[in-house]
Amino acid sequence: MMRLRFPSLLFVALCGLAPAVLGNLLHWSAWLWGFMSMGMTSGSLLLVMTFFSGKHPQADPYATEETEPPAAPAEQPYQETRVIDAVLPSAVDGYDFLFSATVWWRPVPDHTGSSVGASPALAASAIVSRALEIARREQPGRASFARFFLEGELSVPLPDRSGRVMALAADATLTLSPADRERLRKLSDLLKDEEIWEYEREHERNKRRYLGDDVLRSAGSAVVWWLARHENEIDRAVDMIGPLAQIAAAAKDEAVPELFRHLLVPPVSARSEATGGGPLWGDPGPGAGPFDCEAEVGAADRLVLLLAAVGVKPDMDEYTVLVNRVVMSLEMAELYEAADEIRQTLLPTPEQGDGAGEDEGSTADPSEGDTTSPYFWDASHQPHRPTAPGPRTGEDES
């Protein structure tokens, strides 16, 4: 307090002596500089008192001394407990989360019902209840995302329902069982495959709709479509009019219009003749045909066709061997009717075999009309069925 008063008194003394010193130097009258010294002293003293009264307010002498408020009790530190693999239902029935976390808790101060022994259980129950409200709204496949959301929500300390424990959680984990994870992976793959399949089906529907309703609407639209895809093949487009007209008619289950029938592709036999290969079966003469399209084709006829296709002729040893094997196979399969037809048609009778063996040195040329088989071969090596039995020339000449 003296340190604060000494500078103030020095300031008041200097202010009072300044007029006296100035008056002596300027030869003022004693009354003048005396009056000015008194005024300066009183003014400086008033200024100092005002300054100290504002800085240190004067205590009220009549005020009673107040007692200090009691100190707040010290908060208890957090204690630790664990929650391990608590089962929490998800938003999908049958898929449950496994929840684990480290629980930090402490009793609420001044709670009448606090019990130290029940506090860990209350804290774990409070954390599991909070986690349950979050997990039941999450999809099983979003377990990783829900885990981070769960950690943020459980990191805030909140009291339990009874208000006796303040609890929060850290290091929270939310997972699915391995079986559920594998099941979800398979389901996800199936859903993705089904989605791709649906897109492919829709693409195929659009293509069929485009071809049926637009491209093949008529023969003309089909020709225009083909020409748009082959702009530099005008000559070939003319040749494609017939096939495209046939395709357009088939797409609508209709007959080919009369306008385009003369442009249709000829049958396979006609095309073979046009290329110089000749028909599959030759014509032995007027009025005789190998297999008329309207005639019934039997098992023997089909076997002759097969043997001719592979190049086996009646004058070859393999011809009789193969025919016999076919007959035996058909008899083992109890197809006796077909076996008898082939035996009677293609295999020589015993009388024919004896007559043929009289002259071992003679060889019958199929092209000369050997009738030991009901078929004979012409110069183009094609089998024919004669209309009437012909003369046997091989044995007579010998």
Side-chain angles (χ1 to χ4, degrees), residues 85-280:
D85 292 341
V87 180
L88 302 179
S90 66
V92 179
D93 294 337
Y95 292 91
D96 296 331
F97 293 116
L98 299 178
F99 171 70
S100 301
T102 301
V103 180
W104 297 93
W105 61 273
R106 66 183 179 185
V108 176
D110 299 333
H111 194 281
T112 56
S114 62
S115 175
V116 177
S119 294
L122 290 175
S125 176
I127 293 299
V128 171
S129 299
R130 292 167 60 183
L132 177 62
E133 296 298 326
I134 299 173
R136 64 175 36 168
R137 298 192 298 266
E138 297 295 335
Q139 295 293 328
R142 293 164 52 91
S144 299
F145 170 79
R147 168 183 168 243
F148 294 104
F149 182 70
L150 198 64
E151 282 187 345
E153 291 293 328
L154 299 181
S155 62
V156 180
L158 292 176
D160 68 322
R161 295 179 180 179
S162 63
R164 291 183 290 179
V165 173
M166 189 74 67
L168 60 94
D171 301 330
T173 58
L174 197 67
T175 59
L176 290 171
S177 64
D180 288 344
R181 286 199 301 269
E182 182 66 19
R183 194 176 297 112
L184 282 177
R185 186 191 65 80
K186 292 182 179 179
L187 181 60
S188 177
D189 293 341
L190 289 176
L191 291 177
K192 292 177 182 178
D193 293 341
E194 185 177 1
E195 184 178 4
I196 294 175
W197 185 58
E198 286 294 336
Y199 277 110
E200 291 177 349
R201 287 178 57 194
E202 186 63 26
H203 175 69
E204 185 179 351
R205 291 194 196 100
N206 294 336
K207 185 181 293 185
R208 291 200 308 265
R209 192 180 304 115
Y210 165 68
L211 292 175
D213 299 342
D214 189 4
V215 174
L216 301 177
R217 184 179 68 256
S218 64
S221 62
V223 173
V224 172
W225 169 80
W226 191 92
L227 189 59
R229 299 173 66 90
H230 307 82
E231 298 179 0
N232 300 324
E233 301 181 16
I234 306 251
D235 296 338
R236 189 181 174 192
V238 177
D239 299 333
M240 293 297 297
I241 294 177
L244 290 175
Q246 190 173 9
I247 294 173
K252 295 182 293 182
D253 296 330
E254 297 177 355
V256 180
E258 187 68 26
L259 179 63
F260 302 102
R261 288 184 181 178
H262 68 286
L263 300 173
L264 296 180
V265 178
V268 178
S269 59
R271 281 185 290 173
S272 300
E273 293 178 357
T275 55
L280 183 61

